Amino acid sequence: MAQPRTEQSGRDAAGPADGAGLRTPLRTAIGERQSALFARAFGHHTVGDLLAHYPRRYAHRGELTALADLPAGEDVTIVAEVRHCETRPMRQRRGSIVEASISDGTGALTLTFFNQPGRAKELRVGRRGIFAGRVNRYKGVPQLTHPDYELFDDDADADIAAWQSRPIPIYPATASLPSWKIARVIRETVLPRLGPVDDPVPQRIAAEHRLEDFATALRDIHVPLTDADWHRARDVLRYQEAFVLQAALLRERERVRETPAVARPPVPGGHAARFDAQLPFELTDDQRSVGEQIAHDLAQPVPMNRLVQGEVGSGKTVVALRAMLQVADNGGQSAFLAPTEVLASQHLRSIVAALGPDLSAELMPTLLTGRLTTAERKRAMLRAVSGQAQIVVGTHALLGENVSFFDLGLVVVDEQHRFGVEQRDILRAKAERPPHQLVLTATPIPRTVAMTVFGDLDVSTIAQLPAGRQRIESFVVPLAEHPRWEGRVWERAAEEIAAGHQVFVVCPAITAKETEGDELEPVTGREDGGPVSAVALVEQTLAAVRSNPVLSGARIAALHGRMPADEKDGVMRSFSAGALDLIVATTVIEVGVDVPNASAMIVLDADRFGVSQLHQLRGRVGRGTAPGLCLFVTTAENGTLARERVEAVAATLDGFALAEADLELRREGDVLGSDQSGGRSSLRLLRVARDGEVIERARSDAAALLQRDPRLEDHPALVSAIADRLTDRSRDFLARA
Ligand code: ADP
Ligand code: MG
């Protein structure tokens, strides 16, 4: 429980009982004008929104810049005293200049304000404050022009020692709402009038973890007297955030399970059993055990919601196909959703091949994509609605209003990150009873991310690769230091082709104007986004390789998303059939493309791609009998973050290790999808890379609570916290990330 504290300047004890609550509109609490600023800058609308605007960090007097060693051109924060202040007219134009001189005892600095005569009244000689801005030099004298500042209350001088040790909260801020202004509104207006707040974490759980109460934590995070205050508060709020999120996800999971599904148990001697008997290889242990989990899930009258993650080439498709056959054995149909047309048709081909002629004839796997001719499309739709086709493979076209199924029992979503929950929900709505769902992803997900982002799904992992997989060697080709190595890259390509293999070349963009931007991961840590013309382009690269004498005679084509669909498919088919030696492509080949004879992958401007994208690209080679070669060509300088990412991928083939490394190299926002507004949907204090323990603890606490009180009837504060946290938008955002 909170200890009553002695009242200190700038800090009030709990407010009046009839004070503002977390749902009170900000307008009511801090006035029209101020609240408009917060709404515009951060999307805050309630007292709760503002109080959840936590400081980014805390500064200390000791860390502040001393005036004696002021760096030029840098942002500084200085605690100093006003020594002199004068107002004078400007020379050239009309108007006035206020110039104040401040000192911290080690040096002096000039503050300059143009046409703000009111400053002179505030900056009286002898007043102390904190000043922030960028140092510039005018005629050799260091100065701050229009700095942000906050003057200390005069009575703070009385207890200067306490004041000096007090952490200074530094908030995420904007030009119109500098950190100190946010601090002041919270400290002087909002906290003093805050009424009782309901803690979404039940008393018993808080006590068990020795967490102080919510109201105290809110005060301590915003107005700490010591570092220990905000440390304690942050632990409380971090746990609370994890708890609310996990409770929300687990409840969502239960909600989906409330409507019964049709049980589709294994049928001895059925299609699935026949398929297993004719498999040309042994399933790996992981494929087998994940397969058993799925077989068990499908046999329940509760909708399955399972995510299967496994390295590229780990054999997820086979696992999904076995599930589809089990459903077919019970008369149910399966829809297999692929993110692109190329992948959908490739999946259909490989499913037909894997089933063999007899099973294919019985199950009639059918393609349903947006670009079929009207007649083909009609036929495919008829097969779906009549139940003739037991397996329907498609793209978004499957979501079309006029597509219906006779008895949809299972939805498989391949490479989930391109499908949102909404789309899964649309498919779910196509069945009378909710179908079972299987989501496949080759993007390895660290456990804590899985718990946070896919907390409403059960997760299985295929960690093993099938035996006999070829090794892949990866190299960085650093053109910054070795510009001539580029020639060697094309020689290597020619060598692979001469040995009867095929080569992928991947570029970040198609033409100078048209990027496949949405297929590029947002890359952080690169100071200059760089003009698109500065990166390798498909068109240029195509021309360059075609005229490169070392590649003369090679059969070369381009492949990218702006090509007409049948042309694209034609190129992919020719490449698969070995009629092309080299394709220059964009990331359209990133997911799932399976050409066992392709042995080399050359990624140009590799630093333009994200870690997981590079890893995915690399997975396109080494799928056949020849070892894979992957060359990451980059002009990024040694030591830059961009280069570090590429080196990280080249250094390991372990997708899970890479996912962890990626988490550290990226900003958190990029892991969960970024939310520019800084509004309610992004994680606040919780960091999935760091807070695994807190997340796990919160998840098991939430699970235990939900077991006792499934509808949270005795926990209204938690119910409303969940509602605030997971608006529809953010729910979608969480699942989509
Ligand atoms: P993923 O979808 O996980 O990337 P796939 O299911 O496409 O992997 O499998 C990649 C290749 O490996 C396919 O050609 C598939 O037939 C083959 N394969 C799958 N499982 C095994 C296994 N247990 N042993 C040998 N080859 C396998
Ligand atoms: Mg696959």
Side-chain angles (χ1 to χ4, degrees):
M1 284 306 297
Q3 295 296 317
R5 295 171 184 244
T6 47
E7 197 155 325
Q8 304 269 350
S9 81
R11 175 178 184 124
D12 289 71
D18 60 345
L22 294 182
R23 287 164 172 261
T24 303
L26 212 43
R27 202 172 350 98
T28 318
I30 65 173
E32 198 75 57
R33 201 181 51 82
Q34 295 253 55
S35 69
L37 285 178
F38 278 98
R40 199 167 338 118
F42 305 112
H44 297 337
H45 296 287
T46 64
V47 166
D49 291 345
L50 178 55
L51 287 178
H53 190 95
Y54 303 128
R56 193 198 298 291
R57 63 187 180 87
Y58 298 85
H60 295 89
R61 197 188 186 300
E63 290 163 10
L64 301 175
T65 315
L67 282 179
D69 38 47
L70 266 190
E74 277 185 33
D75 291 316
V76 295
T77 305
I78 298 150
V79 172
E81 186 178 297
V82 179
R83 291 291 168 84
H84 180 82
C85 185
E86 67 172 16
T87 308
R88 55 184 175 75
M90 274 195 253
R91 264 184 226 125
Q92 317 286 356
R93 286 173 283 152
R94 267 199 290 166
S96 67
I97 303 180
V98 173
E99 262 183 5
S101 172
I102 58 171
S103 173
D104 65 350
T106 70
L109 180 68
T110 303
L111 313 180
T112 310
F113 299 90
F114 297 99
N115 290 324
Q116 299 187 1
R119 301 290 178 185
K121 283 195 211 86
E122 289 180 359
L123 296 166
R124 292 192 312 272
V125 172
R127 289 205 68 179
R128 288 189 189 158
I130 180 165
F131 302 86
R134 181 161 296 182
V135 181
N136 58 318
R137 281 180 193 273
Y138 181 69
K139 294 182 179 165
V141 181
Q143 63 169 15
L144 299 179
T145 305
H146 293 186
D148 283 332
Y149 63 85
E150 183 182 15
L151 297 171
F152 302 125
D153 298 341
D154 289 337
D155 63 359
D157 285 352
D159 191 3
I160 195 88
W163 166 79
Q164 276 184 329
S165 69
R166 209 194 265 193
I168 301 162
I170 308 291
Y171 287 92
T174 66
S176 58
L177 277 173
S179 176
W180 60 266
K181 232 184 214 171
I182 298 171
R184 188 149 75 189
V185 169
I186 292 177
R187 187 185 64 219
E188 292 178 5
T189 312
V190 178
L191 285 176
R193 289 183 215 152
L194 187 66
V197 291
D198 288 330
D199 193 342
V201 178
Q203 182 77 52
R204 202 180 40 74
I205 295 177
E208 193 182 311
H209 297 308
R210 299 171 173 280
L211 298 171
E212 69 185 9
D213 74 293
F214 187 22
T216 308
L218 282 176
R219 279 202 314 275
D220 284 351
I221 200 110
H222 291 292
V223 194
L225 301 181
T226 63
D227 283 339
D229 283 349
W230 67 258
H231 279 288
R232 230 179 19 247
R234 194 196 46 193
D235 288 348
V236 171
L237 297 170
R238 188 177 279 162
Y239 176 84
Q240 187 195 86
E241 183 172 358
F243 181 78
V244 171
L245 183 59
Q246 291 303 330
L249 290 166
L250 288 170
R251 220 171 53 138
E252 171 68 12
R253 181 170 177 274
E254 286 312 310
R255 192 185 63 77
V256 169
R257 294 163 62 93
E258 271 164 15
T259 318
V262 180
R264 317 270 184 179
V267 173
H271 299 112
R274 278 164 58 202
F275 176 78
D276 281 356
Q278 71 179 47
L279 262 182
F281 45 72
E282 288 278 309
L283 293 174
T284 62
D285 290 346
D286 284 353
Q287 278 175 319
R288 201 177 294 283
S289 67
V290 171
E292 275 164 21
Q293 278 173 332
I294 294 171
H296 175 265
D297 288 353
L298 291 174
Q300 312 307 310
V302 171
M304 170 175 77
N305 252 311
R306 188 170 286 280
L307 173 77
V308 173
Q309 57 169 338
E311 284 289 311
V312 170
S314 60
K316 297 181 293 294
T317 313
V318 179
V319 169
L321 187 52
R322 293 175 75 235
M324 295 193 273
L325 293 174
Q326 181 173 328
V327 170
D329 280 333
N330 291 272
Q333 294 167 288
S334 297
F336 190 112
L337 270 172
T340 64
E341 303 259 351
V342 169
L343 283 174
S345 40
Q346 184 185 291
H347 272 311
L348 184 81
R349 280 197 298 276
S350 58
I351 286 173
V352 169
L355 290 175
D358 293 351
L359 281 171
S360 291
E362 287 168 46
L363 300 169
M364 210 177 275
T366 298
L367 188 67
L368 212 176
T369 66
R371 63 159 228 265
L372 297 178
T373 63
T374 314
E376 287 169 328
R377 200 177 145 75
K378 241 189 200 140
R379 194 174 56 209
M381 282 166 42
L382 206 64
R383 284 183 180 179
V385 74
S386 66
Q388 257 182 314
Q390 305 270 55
I391 295 175
V392 182
V393 181
T395 53
H396 287 80
L398 274 185
L399 306 175
E401 267 173 35
N402 42 11
V403 177
S404 29
F405 291 84
F406 181 72
D407 178 14
L408 183 60
L410 171 66
V411 175
V412 180
V413 182
D414 194 20
E415 303 303 342
Q416 114 304 315
H417 55 280
R418 303 190 183 198
F419 275 105
V421 227
E422 271 171 30
Q423 288 143 329
R424 281 195 264 146
D425 281 346
I426 293 175
L427 264 177
R428 221 176 353 217
K430 287 186 182 294
E432 236 165 85
R433 303 253 221 111
H436 298 284
Q437 286 197 52
L438 193 58
V439 177
L440 310 179
T441 178
T443 308
I445 305 165
R447 187 175 150 68
T448 52
V449 177
M451 266 193 300
T452 310
V453 179
F454 301 107
D456 57 338
L457 305 181
D458 297 317
V459 179
S460 335
T461 303
I462 304 181
Q464 284 170 315
L465 290 183
R469 257 310 126 70
Q470 293 300 323
R471 84 202 128 79
I472 303 175
E473 285 198 291
S474 314
F475 299 97
V476 177
V477 181
L479 296 185
E481 293 102 284
H482 303 285
R484 290 177 184 218
W485 286 9
E486 187 166 9
R488 182 71 193 119
V489 168
W490 302 116
E491 283 170 22
R492 281 298 284 118
E495 287 163 21
E496 292 297 318
I497 293 169
H501 299 304
Q502 291 161 284
V503 177
F504 291 108
V505 177
V506 178
C507 305
I510 306 169
T511 65
K513 276 188 238 83
E514 296 186 283
T515 64
E516 287 192 342
D518 53 344
E519 297 187 3
L520 272 184
E521 277 191 15
V523 166
T524 55
R526 216 191 139 92
E527 286 82 334
D528 64 318
V532 171
S533 61
V535 307
L537 308 169
V538 171
E539 287 184 348
Q540 280 176 0
T541 308
L542 183 69
V545 293
R546 277 188 170 150
S547 61
N548 190 328
V550 304
L551 289 166
S552 66
R555 296 160 300 171
I556 297 170
L559 180 70
H560 60 73
R562 296 273 194 282
M563 282 162 50
D566 26 326
E567 212 175 292
K568 221 164 44 181
D569 207 37
V571 169
M572 206 49 235
R573 260 180 228 268
S574 309
F575 192 70
S576 298
L580 286 168
D581 300 309
L582 183 150
I583 51 173
V584 180
T586 55
T587 49
V588 290
I589 60 152
E590 178 192 345
V591 268
V593 169
D594 191 13
V595 181
N597 190 46
S599 62
M601 162 72 56
I602 298 169
V603 185
L604 300 177
D605 285 311
D607 52 290
R608 293 298 175 120
F609 300 89
V611 168
S612 65
Q613 240 178 343
L614 291 175
H615 182 60
Q616 291 281 309
L617 284 168
R618 173 169 58 190
R620 303 298 114 222
V621 295
R623 299 170 76 86
T625 52
L629 171 72
C630 190
L631 300 177
F632 296 128
V633 182
T634 175
T635 55
E637 304 271 345
N638 203 3
T640 58
L641 198 55
R643 174 77 168 267
E644 221 177 288
R645 272 199 324 267
V646 180
E647 305 265 4
V649 182
T652 178
L653 287 173
D654 180 342
F656 286 90
L658 275 177
E660 302 275 0
D662 194 19
L663 207 51
E664 276 160 34
L665 290 172
R666 289 180 189 214
R667 289 199 338 268
E668 203 77 8
D670 299 323
V671 176
L672 296 180
S674 53
D675 181 36
Q676 299 301 332
S677 74
R680 51 176 53 201
S681 57
S682 48
L683 292 182
R684 294 181 181 117
L685 291 171
L686 211 54
R687 293 294 169 264
V688 284
R690 180 196 60 203
D691 297 326
E693 263 178 54
V694 177
I695 294 172
E696 298 211 22
R697 190 147 45 90
R699 187 170 178 86
S700 75
D701 290 342
L705 181 75
L706 280 163
Q707 193 136 42
R708 284 195 303 273
D709 181 10
R711 294 175 182 274
L712 297 176
E713 277 152 5
D714 299 332
H715 298 87
L718 180 54
V719 171
S720 66
I722 289 174
D724 285 350
R725 185 76 175 94
L726 299 181
T727 58
D728 288 343
R729 188 174 70 86
S730 63
R731 179 66 193 78
D732 183 38
F733 147 86
L734 276 169
R736 195 181 58 228

